[in-house]
Amino acid sequence: MTTTGLVPATRAALAGLPVDVAPRLLDGVLEVASDGAVVAVRLTEVEAYHGAGTGPEPDPGSHARGGRTARNATMWGPPGHLYVYLSHGIHSCVNVVCGPEGQAGGVLLRAGEIVAGEDVAFSRRPAARAGRDLARGPGRLGDAVGLRHPLHDGIDAVTGAPWAGAVARLWLPTRPRTDVAAGPRVGVAGVGGTAAFPWRFWIEGDPTVSPFRWGRGAGPLA
């Protein structure tokens, strides 16, 4: 994987509110070594989530909206660790923990382009019909890079310390994208999935960005 135009992520770079950090992750790269192979994904779509007491307004769509639990403990920091949770009992979804330590927050990695280890990603995602589909959605991204819940929840993507047989490293772009779009988060129920929380960010026109759908009770006709 080439690192031209990228710098290693630091805790300081991820210490802002998730809604502020999220767009800065676009064009960044998450590189994961696991099962004897390396897969890297260039990030093209992300979503910010705040926890209880984080930011100026409560986030009703966050796993940490009600406070700290065993499930969301990783979201409380330090920044740079990865919060890996299980969606629908099947898919492992990956979040970059952001915000000051002791305040919960994360950025869900919704979609990306596999830029290294494509053959490995295809072996993990045999149903993918094309390279653009390998990490087009948060569950697909988690499968492609080989991070699994609960095994890899809490892995540190800043230091790259080994964790349950895997090593993760996050790289940030030296220059922010200028073609970033923003809108409601995908599939989030209620007000947390409406235009009141335009906390989904994506690279406009990128073919790996996932399709949008309203959450229950969040659509314009709700």
Side-chain angles (χ1 to χ4, degrees), residues 21 134 197:
V21 174
L134 284 170
F197 289 88

Side-chain angles (χ1 to χ4, degrees), residues 142-155:
D143 289 344
V145 300
L147 291 176
R148 298 182 295 278
H149 169 87
L151 191 62
H152 299 123
D153 181 32
I155 191 171

Side-chain angles (χ1 to χ4, degrees), residues 46-72:
V46 297
E47 287 179 343
Y49 291 87
H50 291 184
T54 301
E57 57 186 322
D59 178 3
S62 172
H63 288 176
R65 62 186 178 275
R68 186 171 185 147
T69 66
R71 181 197 188 196
N72 67 35

Side-chain angles (χ1 to χ4, degrees), residues 112-114 118 121-122 125 128-136 207-208:
E113 174 196 9
I114 300 300
E118 187 177 76
F122 266 115
R125 294 258 307 104
R129 292 175 292 180
R132 61 173 277 180
D133 296 322
L134 284 170
R136 194 172 181 233
T208 64

Side-chain angles (χ1 to χ4, degrees), residues 191-218:
V191 67
T194 69
F197 289 88
W199 291 2
R200 171 180 172 245
F201 304 91
W202 66 95
I203 297 174
E204 203 159 20
D206 194 289
T208 64
V209 172
S210 67
F212 177 78
R213 62 177 176 82
W214 293 105
R216 179 173 46 83

Side-chain angles (χ1 to χ4, degrees), residues 41-45 110-114 132 135-137 141 208:
V41 58
R42 178 181 68 90
L43 305 175
T44 61
E45 181 186 9
R110 278 208 59 85
E113 174 196 9
I114 300 300
R132 61 173 277 180
R136 194 172 181 233
L141 188 152
T208 64

